[in-house]
Amino acid sequence: MLTNNAPQQLTGIALPSLQDEDWKYTSLSPLVAALGAAWWQQRAGTPVATPSELTLDSIRINAATASCDRALPDGVTLRPWRESDHGLFDLPPAPPLPYSAKLARALADGGICLCIADGVELEQPILITHPEATGSSARLHGIHIGAGTNATLIDHFHGVATGAGVGTSLCQIRLQANAALDHYRIQQNSASHFHLGRIEIGQHRDSRYRLFAAELGSALSRLDLVTTLLEQGAECTLNGLMVLAGRQHADHHLHINHAAPHCRSRVHYRTVADDRARVVFNGAVRVAKGANGTDSAQTNANLLLSKRAQVDTKPELEIYNDDVKCAHGATVGQLDAEQLFYLQSRGIAKAEARQLLTIAFAEALLDTVAIPELRKVIEQAIMAKLPHGA
Amino acid sequence: MIKIENLHVEVDGKAILKGINLTINAGEVHAIMGPNGSGKSTLSNVIAGRNGYTVTQGSIRYFDQDLLEMKPEERAWAGIFLAFQYPVEIPGVNNTYLLKAGVNARRRQQGLEELDAMDFMQMVQEKARLVELDPAFLSRSVNVGFSGGEKKRNEIFQMAVLEPKLALLDETDSGLDIDALRIVAGGINKLRNPERAIVMITHYQRLLDYITPDFVHVLANGEILTSGDAKLAHKLEKEGYDWLLEKDTAA
């Protein structure tokens, strides 16, 4: 376990303000209001034993205890995170660390290091459960995927409301040559929880990283994802589905670094915001000077179910090369009145018709979930969040 | 079945229907004809309950209920069906799912048990044959990737599945080639029965060559100028609407 000397380390880390470009639309003041000005000193409670609702056949790891429910398959090792592990995962150039990374490192009180050796084919997905706790908890995780290895990883952040809590996590992932990782990240924390997450990925030659992020829970949730396509042929697909209601706030900042030639990146995010929910999406792509033949595309579609819901979406392209293909597009809209009337005229009640059209909007992304049980859980969670009588 | 009295309707403050009187009984087939912009589609939209239409005067009674008080889905449950002039594409909503949800919602309202999946599929496939709809369409998203003719056929197929008491067919014939028209008309004819009323809105005689209406009404400038039987449609085909419109101005 790491020592939690957060108060000292945090002395140079002011909370980001709205003047900070990266935090322009996300204020952490609700967090301070819920947990107090010295929120990081709130000792984390023991996570309430709520088993992850995901019952699918998987190798199950508890991130809070760094333990696994069974003997790990050959080629897979698991141990608690150590300070020196940063040396394995950090990518040059050396930081100035952004806020979310500084925060996680300063507060870290545990985490796991999961390594899968070269050439391993796992039959089951690995499910890492992140049960929420009251107070402040922070984790550092390292995931190493060996050359030619194929793996599926499901991160499940979940919990029940027992009091205000904030979970901070930094997950560093390294994909060796020709490795492939399907990464599902399901955030279903309770409404009294705050979630500040960061993922840093380094991708070597011909590796493939595929993210499916479902953003469903928490009062406020932020994810910063940075992937660096280090060597040619690397590929990343970042898919995200955010469904928010009440006064929920979710913010995803993606940052794709095309550092090598002939790499490919795809981003497809869809968000549904009801009531007074607020969504922030920022998709940054940086193409380095030598990254010839870069192929990058991003789309972001947003559906507002209420007049008071709000979305801020922004692509950010920084291109230092002429030989690139970079496409981006964003839309913000409401449910289509014609479609709604069509369904009603066929005998489907308005509230149900709204649900149906909202799920239909999410379908394009749900279709990318390759595990049927997981898809079902996400779909049901979305259904449960949608208004029943509108 | 339905009784429309002195119906006045505005859209965006503009008067579109100016005192429509029309009674339709079970088993009857009515054709409502008239030039573009005469208010034909407005009439069917008001009956089906589409938003954006303000009834300023008059009433619509349907099986002795105040129709205008009912939501669109309640009208559907009570047996009203509108075949859209422009059927809507709904990506992500499966054709069969839509119909199953519609049929079962109505059955629940009627206190009947929901159809089980097997019975429903069997019924649906039977009805698809009625308009020669490729069963592959059943598992596709509603109207997505359908040609104009396929969309119209899909509307009549939906009508067959939902078994309405009052079917409003809004320009179901437009945009159909002659083969598609024959298939669609054939489907409609098979759906004619003594318990069901059908209202066809069209500005061409073409559809009426295949489906003989009991009544023909000419709607122009928000009013029914004249009504008659199938012969009226033939006269309109030969002479156009001008003689009626002139008569109207003279009066």
Side-chain angles (χ1 to χ4, degrees):
Chain A
M1 278 292 165
L2 306 170
T3 47
N4 188 349
N5 51 355
Q8 290 76 30
Q9 291 198 22
L10 269 183
T11 338
I13 310 176
L15 276 180
S17 78
L18 299 182
Q19 269 76 53
D20 185 334
E21 188 60 32
D22 272 354
W23 292 83
K24 198 170 165 185
Y25 303 108
T26 297
S27 162
L28 292 180
S29 55
L31 190 164
V32 176
L35 283 108
W39 56 271
W40 61 84
Q41 288 176 311
Q42 294 246 348
R43 262 175 62 93
T46 312
V48 183
T50 48
S52 158
E53 280 165 44
L54 297 180
T55 52
L56 49 106
D57 182 26
S58 56
I59 300 162
R60 192 176 279 252
I61 294 170
N62 185 325
T65 57
S67 59
C68 183
D69 70 336
R70 68 191 71 185
L72 289 161
D74 286 347
V76 182
T77 54
L78 172 73
R79 60 170 170 77
W81 172 268
R82 290 192 292 254
E83 188 72 44
S84 58
D85 285 334
H86 284 304
L88 290 175
F89 290 100
D90 279 347
L91 295 174
L97 290 174
Y99 179 73
S100 53
K102 259 194 277 192
L103 194 65
R105 289 186 178 199
L107 300 178
D109 53 13
I112 59 165
C113 186
L114 176 73
C115 297
I116 309 179
D118 294 350
V120 173
E121 283 283 342
L122 288 179
E123 279 168 33
Q124 291 167 302
I126 297 174
L127 169 62
I128 305 180
T129 62
H130 304 263
E132 76 179 55
T134 56
S136 163
S137 62
R139 306 269 187 267
L140 298 176
H141 303 301
I143 315 272
H144 187 274
I145 311 288
T149 287
N150 270 311
T152 298
L153 182 69
I154 304 163
D155 271 312
H156 191 210
F157 297 85
H158 64 101
V160 286
T162 50
V166 52
T168 310
S169 84
L170 167 61
C171 178
Q172 293 180 300
I173 301 173
R174 190 61 83 102
L175 276 88
Q176 295 299 344
N178 205 28
L181 178 64
D182 279 324
H183 188 189
Y184 295 91
R185 190 179 195 275
I186 317 299
Q187 193 273 104
Q188 273 187 299
N189 284 318
S190 76
S192 58
H193 200 76
F194 295 82
H195 178 78
L196 302 171
R198 182 176 174 86
I199 302 175
E200 295 175 355
I201 309 146
Q203 292 190 239
H204 293 274
R205 192 180 176 120
D206 298 324
S207 65
R208 187 175 64 88
Y209 175 77
R210 209 174 67 113
L211 171 78
F212 176 90
E215 200 64 62
L216 303 166
S218 293
L220 185 155
S221 155
R222 161 92 178 208
L223 175 67
D224 290 88
L225 182 144
V226 186
T227 183
T228 305
L229 307 169
L230 294 160
E231 293 171 359
Q232 59 173 292
E235 191 181 314
C236 74
T237 304
L238 310 178
N239 291 329
L241 180 58
M242 310 205 227
V243 181
L244 306 181
R247 303 192 71 146
Q248 281 187 297
H249 181 118
D251 175 344
H252 278 206
H253 268 64
L254 310 181
H255 202 109
I256 300 169
N257 289 318
H258 278 267
H262 305 292
C263 291
R264 186 173 186 271
S265 62
R266 290 288 179 273
V267 172
H268 186 182
Y269 260 65
R270 291 200 162 202
T271 73
V272 177
D274 197 4
D275 305 323
R276 302 180 67 170
R278 185 149 184 208
V279 177
V280 182
F281 174 78
N282 194 92
V285 176
R286 186 177 187 279
V287 181
K289 214 169 174 184
N292 292 341
T294 288
D295 177 3
S296 172
Q298 72 169 268
T299 57
N300 172 224
N302 300 279
L303 175 61
L304 300 182
L305 293 180
S306 124
K307 286 196 175 72
R308 304 180 79 175
Q310 204 181 330
V311 57
D312 293 286
T313 171
K314 191 171 110 191
E316 233 181 272
L317 305 179
E318 229 186 293
I319 301 170
Y320 301 100
N321 191 307
D322 293 332
D323 177 24
V324 297
K325 232 168 47 186
C326 281
H328 64 89
T331 58
V332 180
Q334 282 132 30
L335 286 180
D336 184 293
E338 269 298 294
Q339 294 179 341
L340 210 51
F341 175 61
Y342 192 83
L343 294 176
Q344 285 179 274
S345 78
R346 273 30 179 174
I348 297 171
K350 191 175 181 184
E352 199 189 330
R354 285 174 64 92
Q355 277 203 349
L356 204 54
L357 292 177
T358 306
I359 285 289
F361 173 80
E363 204 81 351
L365 279 161
L366 289 170
D367 282 347
T368 68
V369 177
I371 306 169
E373 300 99 302
L374 188 59
R375 181 197 166 123
K376 209 169 154 197
V377 168
I378 299 168
E379 203 170 52
Q380 281 167 352
I382 294 173
M383 288 297 255
K385 292 199 72 172
L386 297 177
H388 293 272
Chain B
M1 178 182 289
I2 189 165
K3 190 166 191 195
I4 302 169
E5 281 185 316
N6 191 32
L7 185 72
H8 286 69
V9 176
E10 284 183 0
V11 176
D12 296 328
K14 192 171 168 246
I16 306 290
L17 296 182
K18 304 163 186 169
I20 300 287
N21 293 293
L22 184 63
T23 299
I24 297 166
N25 298 307
E28 295 174 353
V29 174
H30 291 241
I32 297 180
M33 304 184 70
N36 279 325
S38 58
K40 304 188 301 291
S41 288
T42 297
L43 182 62
S44 59
N45 285 332
V46 168
I47 297 173
R50 191 193 288 265
N51 261 340
Y53 298 88
T54 314
V55 175
T56 54
Q57 265 189 72
S59 67
I60 306 180
R61 306 288 299 176
Y62 176 72
F63 286 103
D64 221 27
Q65 274 182 289
D66 183 354
L67 187 75
L68 298 174
E69 287 296 307
M70 295 160 74
K71 294 176 190 158
E73 59 267 37
E74 291 169 339
R75 300 180 195 203
W77 299 334
I80 289 178
F81 176 85
L82 171 66
F84 280 51
Q85 183 180 1
Y86 304 107
V88 183
E89 294 186 9
I90 314 183
V93 175
N94 175 288
N95 235 343
T96 307
Y97 184 88
L98 162 79
L99 288 170
K100 194 163 177 235
V103 166
N104 281 331
R106 185 172 172 193
R107 290 180 70 91
R108 279 198 301 274
Q109 291 300 316
Q110 295 167 337
L112 298 171
E113 258 185 50
E114 296 189 7
L115 288 181
D116 77 54
M118 288 282 279
D119 290 345
F120 182 79
M121 277 320 288
Q122 203 181 343
M123 184 264 274
V124 155
Q125 279 168 2
E126 223 168 85
K127 307 277 176 157
R129 276 195 288 275
L130 201 68
V131 283
E132 299 173 32
L133 192 73
D134 181 348
F137 282 67
L138 296 173
S139 53
R140 303 231 310 246
S141 286
V142 177
N143 290 322
V144 176
F146 289 25
S147 72
E150 284 160 351
K151 283 180 185 171
K152 295 298 179 85
R153 255 195 269 178
N154 193 29
E155 294 293 288
I156 301 307
F157 159 65
Q158 294 189 3
M159 170 182 164
V161 171
L162 295 169
E163 301 183 324
K165 294 187 175 119
L166 173 63
L168 310 159
L169 313 181
D170 192 359
E171 305 213 4
T172 297
D173 53 335
S174 66
L176 293 183
D177 63 37
I178 197 70
D179 289 331
L181 181 71
R182 207 175 283 140
I183 293 168
V184 165
I188 297 169
N189 273 327
K190 281 178 217 149
L191 294 171
R192 242 176 129 153
N193 76 38
E195 276 83 53
R196 177 173 295 144
I198 297 175
V199 178
M200 297 182 293
I201 287 161
T202 177
H203 47 237
Y204 302 109
Q205 157 68 27
R206 221 161 63 120
L207 181 64
L208 308 184
D209 289 341
Y210 296 93
I211 307 168
T212 312
D214 301 305
F215 301 94
V216 175
H217 311 278
V218 177
L219 188 65
N221 198 21
E223 291 173 280
I224 291 178
L225 296 185
T226 187
S227 297
D229 57 15
K231 281 183 224 142
L232 176 60
H234 290 288
K235 187 173 159 80
L236 289 170
E237 174 78 353
K238 254 186 268 156
E239 301 175 24
Y241 293 107
D242 290 348
W243 61 279
L244 273 170
L245 297 173
E246 278 159 26
K247 198 171 84 181
D248 186 38
T249 342

